[in-house]
Structure formats: structure tokens, C-alpha cells
């Protein structure tokens, strides 16, 4: 009892001193609470479906940010990893009757392998050339899908996959928790030593090489990590939709990911996640005006990019918080002095 | 203050009017119409359903037991050509937000498969009006208790579609043999698209078995604006029959340029552009003698229901209905009589009644199939006396029905010719 009280006190202290001091942290905490508490407020299957699919795409968008936002390896064919994860999970589930807890990780492993296969030839390429080359890979895979209809189901895809859970709420919590955990892991990776090297490669690869760091290895690692997370989202998607089809490899899927990441703010992880949670439900919300759905979506994206070129979330964050010029710690925008080093903030 | 009072009075009046109107509306039968609403297929889904609802409501509605209920349509844009996820969300919305009683529509198989799953989760009858793949109905046979709420509305399945196309090809070849007394040399020209991949393979295997020489396969882009290279090669190959598989704008390009170059070959097969009223204008009349499969042609009658439907649709929407407009059939011929017969909206009762029905529709007669083991598939029966489809040909500016014309499906089977059919013609320049 006493131990529990101590833990509670410690938890309260952490919340008060680490979370409540910054608006962005409060927003993230609220995001976690709202998502985890949603079924207590509403069990509407449509709402739950939208949130589950949003979560799957949030993992995908964050995985793109890990590779292209942080490492600067501009990937315009991210649907490749998603599709490989989806198809591998589907094949394993349908033909080997592997349950989702086995097929999804193996699908992700296949996507890692794909990351290696794609990463190696792409290492010598940069900028536009890299973007165009990566764009070609899902198109090649789609060609293979259509060429081997007996294996891949061709145009129809592989359908009849097992659900992860047959319970609506069970499904919801599985997807939401996986999304929260994976996105937190990705965020922690970018905050780690490896993440700093990723960031440095994007800023100045030559300087990183000159520091004795094997950038080739790190770029390949970025491809594999990104492939892993995108592969998981592909597998989850296939099991949720109960089908893995050619649409998972479409160019529009790759571009959607880029739009989400750029809209939310690249090289942040939380930016693309937030963007998916804004844009995907927005598309659903404007169903009442079907003729103009896509146009409304495009206008919102354009306006944000026009007035917030760094992305929505960094813009919002800069409005509500400011960095200390001396210790770089972030403070709420209303403060006059830094909460750590007490340096003046204006 | 005075304005505010007036506002409140208006609001109160509105509430009273609404409250008075509600009982008059009564309960309605909510039918979800799902399809790619920004594309021609979805527009036809919607038009067909609107026409059916208007006709039924004008007659006072549907007699459900002792109650007369009107039909209320709910439009759902599946956006399935661009986004399969969107399609499933639209279906989920129909089920849980709009709480529809039945659903009709769907087009792209990759989207219809998960949409079918969602409808089955909620045990709602879903009549498919677009996707041809057989596997949708195989699911009914394999897991009847789950998938029994699925029925195929249109078209008949892909196996039958292929068979019909080869029947059209055979009819064209017969005319060439009879009139020119030469062996048939066939070229396959299929646009580069996923849907043609399987059909090209089947055609490559089947055409030699039909006794024709296969001279080659050409695959222009679906949006090609110049196909003279392909046409020259086809002419050099000596082909006198061209099996076309076009769903996109290349259908216009190919027909126009073939007409301009007077390629001595009959074009037969699928050319979706040629099914449209504007084809003659689009090809500047060069699409004369193009022969393509179709579902409805003005002046051709499968049954006594065809003319009222086709002419009514033409009058209402200014165009000949395409097959996705068979949402009309799904509502007016499949659902409504079944609801009235069982006197209830109970899906299980309707399924049990509908799957055993044989009924006339504007495109023939519907009978649901059973598989080799006698299990219901809810797939459509194809063949003489049931559904066969049509083929039309452009003859001097008019799209006329040419198949089935004295068609004998199998030795001993009755000859089939629908009312309004005319004989198929080969281009006169083939005779030189």
C-alpha cells in the first residue's frame, strides 16, 4: 500500500514536472488518453473503423518520416514496404494458416529484406534520382503480382484473411496499442545516437563520413527500419481489411504517405502521425459533400503548405512553445525566463 | 428583441410542421447505393436506383405485411477506383450510421470483396451490380451461413463473360467465312490493363481451338492516341478478324484509325467506348462496323421489361443504360417483390425466398445457380432463356443489336434471336 502510494506520488511528480510544463506534452498525453478511453465514450463501429485505419496509416506515415524525413533518403515508393508486408502476411495466413501474430511480424521481416534489396542499389543515388528510382519498385512489384495470379490473386488480391480479433473493442485496442508503441519506438530511435546520425546524414553526409561513420551502413539501417514498421502496418492493414490487393502497391498510396508527412511536418515522427489523424478523418467527415471531397482535401493541404511550409505541427508547436537560446530546452510561449536555466526567452 | 421573438416563432412553427410531417412519411425501406459516384459506373448505379425508387414510390411504395413503405435511397461514394479503404469505410457508414436495410452496387472486385465482408458482418442483403469475379459467389457456396446475404445482380460472372465474348467472335468469324470464303485469321488487340491480362491468355489458348489462325497479340496503351503502327502490323499479318479488348479511350483511337486506313478486318469483342452514344461522333463516323458486347441497345428487347426500362431510362437521363444501371433491376425486380412476398424486411426470410425465385428482368430472366454439389451460389444463370447479354454493331451511324441472331448455344439447343436484332455486317472494304 505504501509502495503504491510512493509510486503514485512519483507518477504525479513526473506528470507535474515533465508533462504539464509543456503544451505539446499535454497534447500528446491527451492524445494517448483520448485514444485509449475512446471505447468508454463511444463504441460506434464506424468511428472505431476510422480510428483503426487511421492508426495503421499513422504507422506507415511515421515509418516514411524515419527514412525520408530524418535520413533524407527521399522515398517515393513507400507503398512497396506496405504492399510486401500485406502480401506476405496474406500468403502466410491463407496458405500456411499462420495466425496474424505470426504472419504480421514475418510480413515485416519480408519488408526489411525488401528494404535491403531496395536500399543497396539506391545507395549511390540522391535527391530526384533516388525518389524516381524508389517510385519504380512498387510498380515493378505490381507487375509481378499481375504476372503471378495463381500465387498473388492477380487483380483480385488475396482475400478471406483471418481477423486479428473478432471483438470490435479487442481489435481497437490491439491496433491502437500497436500504433502507440511503434510510433513511440520510432520517436525514441530518432532521439537516440542512431537517430542523430540519421539526421546528420541528411544534413551533410560528407561531414558524417569524415567523422569516421559508415554512412552506407546507417542508410541501409534506415531503409530496413522503415521497411520493418511499414511492413507491420501493411500486415495489420491486410488483416483488418481481410484482403491484400494491388491497391496496397499503388502510386497513390506512396503519395498519400508523402502528403501526410509533409502536411504534419517532416523529421518529427509525431508530425506525420498527427497529420494522418487530421486528414484521414477529415476525408470521412466531408462525405456529406461527395463531389467536392477530394477538392476540399487538396485545398486544406495546399493552404497548410502555403502558410506553414514546415508543416502544421511544427508551426503549432512554435506558436505555443519557444526554445531557450542558452540551454535549448523548450518552454511554454508565455514564459519570460527558461524553466531550467532561467535565461531570458525574449 | 422583436427580431429574436420572430426567429423563435419561426423555429417553433418549423418544429410543429416537421412533427406533423413525420408520421406522414412513415417508415421507409432504406437502400444504400454504393459505387464510384464520380465515375460513369457509379453514376449509372445511382441513376438506376433513383429510377426504381421513383417508380415504386409513385405507385404508393412497397407493401410490407400490412404496412405500405416508401423507398429511401442512401448514396454512398465508394471512391473504389482510387482508394479501396474509402470503399470499405463507405460500406461501414451505410451499415452503422445510415442503418440501411439493403445495399446495391459495388464495382471493383478488390473493393467489393471487403465490402461484401462488412455487409455480411451485419447480415444485410448486398446485391452486387458491377464486379464480375466468380469468387464473390463461390464464397456463398463455401460458407453459406455467412455469405448467403450476397447476390449477384449484374453482370454474369467472368467465366460467362469470356464465353460470351468468344460467341461474339465466333459469330463474326462465321460471317467472314460465309461471305468471303476464306479462312479466319485473328489478331488480338488488348489495351495494357490488369483486366485484360487473363482474357488475353484465355484468348490465345481458345482462338486456335475455334479453328482460327492466331496471327499475333498487340497491346497498345489504354490511352494511346496513335495506333497506326499496330494497325499496319495487323494489316501485314493478314488478319481479317480483330478481337478487341478495350475499356478506355484507345477504343476510339483504334476504331477511328482502323476506319481511316480501311483495315480489311472486322473488329469484334469488347470496346466500352463503342457502347456509348457519342462513339459515332468521336470517331467521325470511322467507327462504322465496330462490333462490341453490350447490355442494352435501344430497339432490342430481351423481355417485355426491356423497352420500358431502356426507354424510361433514356427519357429520364438522356442516355442508354449501362449494366451498372441494373441497380434498377436489383431493387425493382429482386428486392421489392421478395419483400412483398415474405411481408417482412427480415433478411433471412428474403434470402430464402429470393434464392429460389425465377423472374423476368429487363436483360432476360434471372435464376440463381447452384454449384456442382448443389450448393446455392447466388450467381446468375447464363444461357438461352436466361441471361445472355448482347452485342451491337455500328451500322451507318446507328448502334444496332446483332448478337444473338439465330444463335444456337449448343447442338440441339433452341435458336435465340431477340426482338429488334439485325444481321451482322462485315465492312464492305473487306470484300475487295
Amino acid at each position: 500500500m505504501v509502495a503504491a502510494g510512493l509510486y503514485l506520488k512519483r507518477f504525479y511528480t513526473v506528470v507535474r514536472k515533465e508533462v504539464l510544463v509543456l503544451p505539446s506534452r499535454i497534447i500528446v498525453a491527451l492524445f494517448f488518453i483520448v485514444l485509449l478511453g475512446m471505447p468508454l465514450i463511444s463504441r460506434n463501429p464506424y468511428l472505431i473503423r476510422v480510428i483503426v485505419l487511421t492508426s495503421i496509416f499513422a504507422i506507415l506515415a511515421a515509418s516514411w518520416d524515419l527514412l525520408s524525413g530524418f535520413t533524407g533518403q527521399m522515398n517515393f515508393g513507400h507503398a512497396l514496404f506496405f504492399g510486401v508486408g500485406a502480401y506476405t502476411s496474406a500468403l502466410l495466413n491463407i496458405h500456411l494458416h499462420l495466425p496474424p501474430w505470426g504472419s504480421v511480424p514475418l510480413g515485416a521481416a519480408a519488408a526489411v529484406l525488401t528494404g535491403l534489396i531496395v536500399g543497396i542499389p539506391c545507395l549511390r543515388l540522391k535527391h530526384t534520382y533516388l525518389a524516381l528510382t524508389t517510385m519504380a519498385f512498387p510498380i515493378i512489384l505490381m507487375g509481378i503480382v499481375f504476372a503471378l495470379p495463381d500465387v498473388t490473386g492477380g487483380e483480385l488480391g488475396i482475400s478471406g484473411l483471418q481477423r486479428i480479433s473478432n471483438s470490435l473493442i479487442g481489435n481497437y485496442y490491439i491496433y491502437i496499442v500497436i500504433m502507440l508503441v511503434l510510433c513511440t519506438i520510432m520517436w525514441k530511435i530518432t532521439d537516440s545516437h542512431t537517430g542523430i546520425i540519421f539526421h546528420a546524414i541528411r544534413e551533410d553526409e560528407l561531414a558524417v563520413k569524415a567523422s569516421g561513420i559508415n554512412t552506407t551502413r546507417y542508410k541501409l539501417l534506415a531503409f530496413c527500419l522503415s521497411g520493418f514498421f511499414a511492413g507491420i502496418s501493411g500486415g495489420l492493414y491486410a488483416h483488418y481489411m481481410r484482403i491484400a490487393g494491388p491497391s496496397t502497391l499503388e502510386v497513390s498510396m506512396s503519395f498519400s504517405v508523402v502528403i501526410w508527412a509533409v502536411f504534419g511536418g517532416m523529421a518529427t515522427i509525431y508530425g506525420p502521425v498527427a497529420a494522418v489523424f487530421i486528414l484521414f478523418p477529415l476525408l470521412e467527415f466531408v462525405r456529406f459533400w461527395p463531389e467536392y471531397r477530394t477538392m476540399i482535401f487538396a485545398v486544406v493541404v495546399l493552404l497548410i503548405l502555403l502558410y506553414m511550409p514546415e508543416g502544421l505541427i511544427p508551426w503549432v508547436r512554435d506558436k505555443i512553445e519557444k526554445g531557450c537560446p542558452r540551454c535549448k530546452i523548450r518552454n511554454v510561449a508565455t514564459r519570460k525566463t527558461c524553466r531550467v536555466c532561467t535565461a531570458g526567452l525574449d | 428583441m422583436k427580431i429574436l421573438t420572430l426567429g423563435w416563432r419561426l423555429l417553433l412553427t418549423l418544429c410543429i410542421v416537421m412533427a406533423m410531417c413525420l408520421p406522414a412519411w412513415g417508415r421507409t425501406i432504406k437502400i444504400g447505393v454504393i459505387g464510384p459516384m464520380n465515375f460513369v459506373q457509379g453514376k449509372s448505379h445511382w441513376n438506376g436506383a433513383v429510377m426504381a425508387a421513383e417508380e415504386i414510390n409513385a405507385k404508393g411504395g412497397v407493401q410490407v405485411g400490412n404496412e405500405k413503405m416508401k423507398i429511401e435511397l442512401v448514396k454512398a461514394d465508394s471512391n473504389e477506383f482510387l482508394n479501396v479503404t474509402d470503399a470499405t469505410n463507405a460500406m461501414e457508414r451505410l451499415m452503422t450510421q445510415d442503418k440501411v436495410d439493403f445495399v446495391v452496387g459495388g464495382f471493383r472486385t478488390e473493393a467489393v470483396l471487403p465490402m461484401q465482408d462488412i455487409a455480411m458482418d451485419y447480415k444485410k442483403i448486398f446485391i452486387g451490380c458491377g464486379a464480375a469475379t466468380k469468387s464473390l459467389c463461390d464464397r456463398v457456396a463455401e460458407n453459406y451461413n455467412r455469405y448467403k446475404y450476397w447476390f449477384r445482380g449484374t453482370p454474369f460472372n467472368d467465366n460467362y463473360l469470356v464465353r460470351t465474348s468468344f460467341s461474339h467472335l465466333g459469330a463474326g468469324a462465321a460471317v467472314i467465312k460465309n461471305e468471303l470464303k476464306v479462312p479466319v485469321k485473328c489478331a488480338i488487340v488488348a489495351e495494357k490493363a490488369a483486366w485484360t491480362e487473363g482474357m488475353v491468355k484465355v484468348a490465345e489458348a481458345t482462338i486456335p481451338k475455334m479453328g482460327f489462325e492466331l496471327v499475333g497479340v498487340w497491346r497498345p496503351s489504354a490511352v494511346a492516341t496513335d495506333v497506326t503502327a499496330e494497325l499496319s502490323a495487323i494489316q501485314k499479318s493478314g488478319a481479317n478478324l480483330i478481337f478487341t479488348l478495350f475499356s478506355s479511350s484507345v477504343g476510339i483511337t483504334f476504331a477511328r484509325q482502323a476506319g481511316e486506313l480501311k483495315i480489311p478486318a472486322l473488329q469484334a469483342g469488347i470496346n466500352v467506348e463503342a457502347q456509348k452514344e457519342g462513339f459515332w461522333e468521336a470517331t467521325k463516323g470511322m467507327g462504322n462496323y465496330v462490333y462490341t458486347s453490350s447490355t442494352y441497345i435501344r430497339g432490342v428487347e430481351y423481355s417485355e421489361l426491356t423497352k420500358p426500362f431502356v426507354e424510361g431510362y433514356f427519357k429520364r437521363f438522356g442516355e442508354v443504360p449501362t449494366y451498372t444501371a441494373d441497380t434498377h433491376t436489383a431493387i425493382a425486380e429482386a428486392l421489392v417483390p421478395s419483400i412483398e412476398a415474405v411481408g417482412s424486411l427480415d433478411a433471412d426470410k428474403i434470402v430464402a425466398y429470393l434464392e429460389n425465385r425465377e423472374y423476368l428482368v429487363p436483360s432476360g430472366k434471372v435464376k440463381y445457380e447452384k454449384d456442382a454439389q448443389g450448393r446455392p451460389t447466388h450467381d446468375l444463370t447464363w444461357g438461352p432463356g436466361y441471361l445472355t447479354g448482347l452485342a451491337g454493331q455500328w451500322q451507318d451511324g446507328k448502334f444496332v443489336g446483332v448478337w444473338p441472331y439465330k444463335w444456337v448455344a449448343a447442338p440441339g439447343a433452341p435458336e435465340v434471336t431477340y426482338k429488334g436484332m439485325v444481321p451482322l455486317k462485315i465492312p464492305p472494304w473487306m470484300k475487295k
Side-chain angles (χ1 to χ4, degrees):
Chain A
M1 196 67 185
V2 177
L6 281 173
Y7 274 121
L8 268 176
K9 193 177 174 189
R10 196 173 160 194
F11 176 73
Y12 171 73
T13 313
V14 168
V15 169
R16 197 168 59 86
K17 291 192 174 169
E18 297 295 329
V19 179
L20 297 180
V21 288
L22 280 177
S24 60
R25 289 182 189 171
I26 296 170
I27 293 169
V28 171
L30 282 174
F31 176 69
F32 272 62
I33 292 166
V34 168
L35 276 186
L36 292 171
M38 178 61 79
L40 303 174
I41 304 161
S42 169
R43 294 189 174 205
N44 182 320
Y46 173 63
L47 180 67
I48 283 180
R49 180 179 191 87
V50 171
I51 297 175
V52 167
L53 285 166
T54 306
S55 303
I56 293 169
F57 291 127
I59 301 170
L60 183 67
S63 72
W64 184 85
D65 198 30
L66 187 66
L67 175 65
S68 302
F70 275 91
T71 323
Q73 304 299 298
M74 202 49 73
N75 181 2
F76 274 15
H78 207 58
L80 175 76
F81 302 135
F82 188 74
V84 166
Y87 268 102
T88 310
S89 298
L91 286 168
L92 292 170
N93 185 248
I94 291 291
H95 297 299
L96 299 180
H97 305 292
L98 214 61
W101 59 261
S103 66
V104 173
L106 286 174
V112 170
L113 198 68
T114 313
L116 268 177
I117 295 166
V118 174
I120 291 167
C122 289
L123 284 172
R124 291 175 176 275
L125 302 171
K126 278 181 184 169
H127 313 301
T128 328
Y129 301 102
L130 175 66
L132 290 175
T133 309
T134 50
M135 202 165 96
F137 284 102
I139 299 170
I140 293 168
L141 186 61
M142 200 189 280
I144 295 169
V145 164
F146 287 127
L148 302 168
D150 295 336
V151 180
T152 60
E155 194 189 354
L156 314 180
I158 304 164
S159 58
L161 270 67
Q162 191 186 335
R163 283 198 177 98
I164 288 188
S165 165
N166 287 324
S167 140
L168 183 75
I169 303 302
N171 237 350
Y172 175 84
Y173 277 114
I174 290 169
Y175 282 94
I176 290 298
V177 169
I178 290 175
M179 185 274 293
L180 292 174
V181 169
L182 292 185
C183 290
T184 308
I185 291 172
M186 279 188 262
W187 181 68
K188 289 303 283 180
I189 289 172
T190 60
D191 207 28
S192 69
H193 176 72
T194 309
I196 291 165
I197 294 172
F198 284 171
H199 216 134
I201 289 172
R202 190 191 69 175
E203 295 300 319
D204 191 340
E205 191 178 342
L206 206 61
V208 181
K209 270 185 184 166
S211 310
I213 292 167
N214 186 344
T215 55
T216 305
R217 213 177 69 186
Y218 277 94
K219 283 200 287 187
L220 269 182
L221 179 67
F223 265 102
C224 293
L225 279 173
S226 177
F228 174 77
F229 293 111
I232 287 189
S233 67
L236 293 174
Y237 177 82
H239 282 283
Y240 190 71
M241 298 285 283
R242 303 191 67 205
I243 186 169
S247 64
T248 55
L249 291 162
E250 278 173 358
V251 176
S252 59
M253 179 67 84
S254 297
F255 282 166
S256 297
V257 179
V258 180
I259 291 168
W260 287 325
V262 174
F263 178 93
M266 282 166 66
T268 54
I269 296 294
Y270 51 78
V273 173
V276 181
F277 271 89
I278 293 167
L279 293 178
F280 193 82
L282 174 77
L283 258 181
E284 285 303 313
F285 179 71
V286 291
R287 262 190 200 281
F288 63 85
W289 212 4
E291 293 84 2
Y292 301 101
R293 260 178 95 211
T294 321
M295 199 183 78
I296 293 168
F297 178 83
V299 167
V300 170
V301 172
L302 277 173
L303 284 176
I304 293 291
L305 295 184
L306 198 64
Y307 293 104
M308 303 161 197
E310 296 294 314
L312 175 68
I313 305 305
W315 183 86
V316 172
R317 198 177 174 190
D318 286 343
K319 292 285 171 203
I320 55 175
E321 292 172 3
K322 52 191 170 188
C324 169
R326 190 200 288 165
C327 69
K328 310 297 178 198
I329 288 287
R330 294 195 73 83
N331 293 271
V332 61
T334 50
R335 281 188 75 97
K336 298 280 180 226
T337 57
C338 176
R339 66 191 160 96
V340 175
C341 68
T342 65
L345 293 174
D346 294 322
Chain B
M1 188 67 197
K2 207 171 185 179
I3 294 167
L4 191 71
T5 313
L6 183 70
W8 278 111
R9 277 182 190 168
L10 278 171
L11 192 67
L12 192 68
T13 315
L14 192 69
C15 287
I16 293 166
V17 169
M18 281 181 73
M20 283 166 71
C21 288
L22 271 173
W25 292 339
R27 275 181 68 203
T28 56
I29 300 172
K30 282 180 117 177
I31 301 178
V33 184
I34 191 163
M37 295 300 171
N38 290 326
F39 294 84
V40 66
Q41 292 85 351
K43 284 176 183 160
S44 293
H45 277 138
W46 181 245
N47 290 348
V50 165
M51 198 172 141
E54 283 176 356
E55 285 169 3
I56 293 158
N57 289 343
K59 287 177 193 162
V62 185
Q63 188 68 45
V64 188
N66 298 324
E67 200 179 349
K68 201 82 170 166
M69 292 168 82
K70 295 221 169 175
I71 288 181
E72 181 188 343
L73 297 177
V74 182
K75 191 179 192 176
D77 182 12
S78 60
N79 193 26
E80 58 203 76
F81 288 135
L82 306 176
N83 192 333
V84 172
T85 316
D86 237 12
T88 60
N89 289 349
M91 180 59 102
E92 182 84 47
R93 193 181 167 86
L94 278 181
M95 296 290 137
T96 59
Q97 303 301 109
D98 302 312
K99 298 191 190 302
V100 296
D101 300 296
F102 307 97
V103 187
V104 295
F107 190 80
R108 180 181 172 182
T109 305
E110 195 192 337
V112 176
L113 282 162
M115 288 199 293
Q116 185 191 36
D117 268 319
I118 294 169
M120 299 307 112
D121 284 343
Y122 292 95
K123 299 185 189 299
K124 297 284 179 192
I125 292 176
F126 178 18
I127 302 185
C129 299
T133 185
K134 192 173 165 290
S135 58
L136 286 160
C137 290
D138 289 343
R139 286 175 150 192
V140 180
E142 286 156 14
N143 190 351
Y144 180 79
N145 283 336
R146 174 168 167 76
Y147 290 102
K148 66 180 175 186
Y149 306 100
W150 161 265
F151 286 84
R152 187 189 294 287
T154 187
F156 36 76
N157 73 43
D158 41 9
N159 287 357
Y160 294 144
L161 280 174
V162 172
R163 274 174 76 174
T164 314
S165 294
F166 289 121
S167 294
H168 300 166
L169 200 65
V175 176
I176 292 169
K177 274 185 193 170
N178 288 342
E179 293 195 19
L180 303 181
K181 314 286 182 208
V182 292
V184 177
K185 290 185 173 184
C186 185
I188 300 171
V189 187
E191 67 183 27
K192 272 186 202 148
W195 74 273
T196 62
E197 301 289 338
M199 287 188 85
V200 169
K201 279 184 193 162
V202 176
E204 281 179 297
T206 311
I207 286 170
K209 286 180 194 165
M210 291 170 81
F212 316 147
E213 185 189 338
L214 180 63
V215 296
V217 180
W218 284 268
R219 305 294 305 272
S221 155
V223 289
T225 51
D226 182 75
V227 288
T228 44
E230 285 88 348
L231 284 165
S232 301
I234 291 166
Q235 191 167 6
K236 272 187 186 168
S237 73
N240 48 23
L241 182 63
I242 304 173
F243 183 46
T244 57
L245 293 171
F246 299 139
S247 69
S248 302
S249 59
V250 68
I252 294 174
T253 310
F254 191 86
R256 194 187 66 235
Q257 293 187 335
E260 284 167 355
L261 295 170
K262 299 248 180 295
I263 301 294
L266 175 70
Q267 295 170 52
I270 298 170
N271 187 340
V272 174
E273 290 295 332
Q275 298 167 359
K276 297 177 185 168
E277 289 285 307
F279 180 73
W280 188 258
E281 280 295 310
T283 60
K284 306 268 186 281
M286 290 295 147
N288 210 3
Y289 304 106
V290 166
Y291 162 45
T292 175
S293 61
S294 190
T295 309
Y296 295 108
I297 297 170
R298 289 186 82 189
V300 175
E301 293 179 39
Y302 297 94
S303 71
E304 65 259 32
L305 298 180
T306 315
K307 195 176 176 187
F309 171 61
V310 175
E311 293 306 320
Y313 191 95
F314 192 84
K315 200 175 160 192
R316 175 80 168 78
F317 303 107
E319 60 189 25
V320 176
T322 61
Y323 73 96
T324 53
D326 273 345
T327 44
H328 177 277
T329 303
I331 296 169
E333 260 66 62
L335 285 175
V336 169
S338 304
I339 293 167
E340 290 187 325
V342 301
S344 151
L345 297 181
D346 185 294
D348 289 288
K349 285 182 186 169
I350 294 169
V351 168
Y353 179 78
L354 179 58
E355 69 183 1
N356 292 310
R357 274 181 70 202
E358 254 188 62
Y359 55 97
L360 279 184
V361 295
S363 56
K365 191 196 231 182
V366 165
K367 183 188 173 189
Y368 294 106
E369 280 192 333
K370 289 185 175 165
D371 69 0
Q373 293 158 41
R375 299 177 300 184
T377 61
H378 296 179
D379 207 341
L380 298 168
T381 303
W382 177 87
Y386 295 100
L387 302 171
T388 60
L390 291 177
Q393 187 179 35
W394 282 94
Q395 293 182 359
D396 304 322
K398 200 174 172 212
F399 192 54
V400 291
V402 292
W403 186 96
Y405 183 79
K406 296 181 180 173
W407 173 56
V408 179
E415 204 177 74
V416 182
T417 303
Y418 295 129
K419 192 177 167 188
M421 305 303 281
V422 298
L424 176 69
K425 287 181 184 172
I426 57 171
W429 55 87
M430 282 181 75
K431 294 174 184 170
K432 288 174 188 168

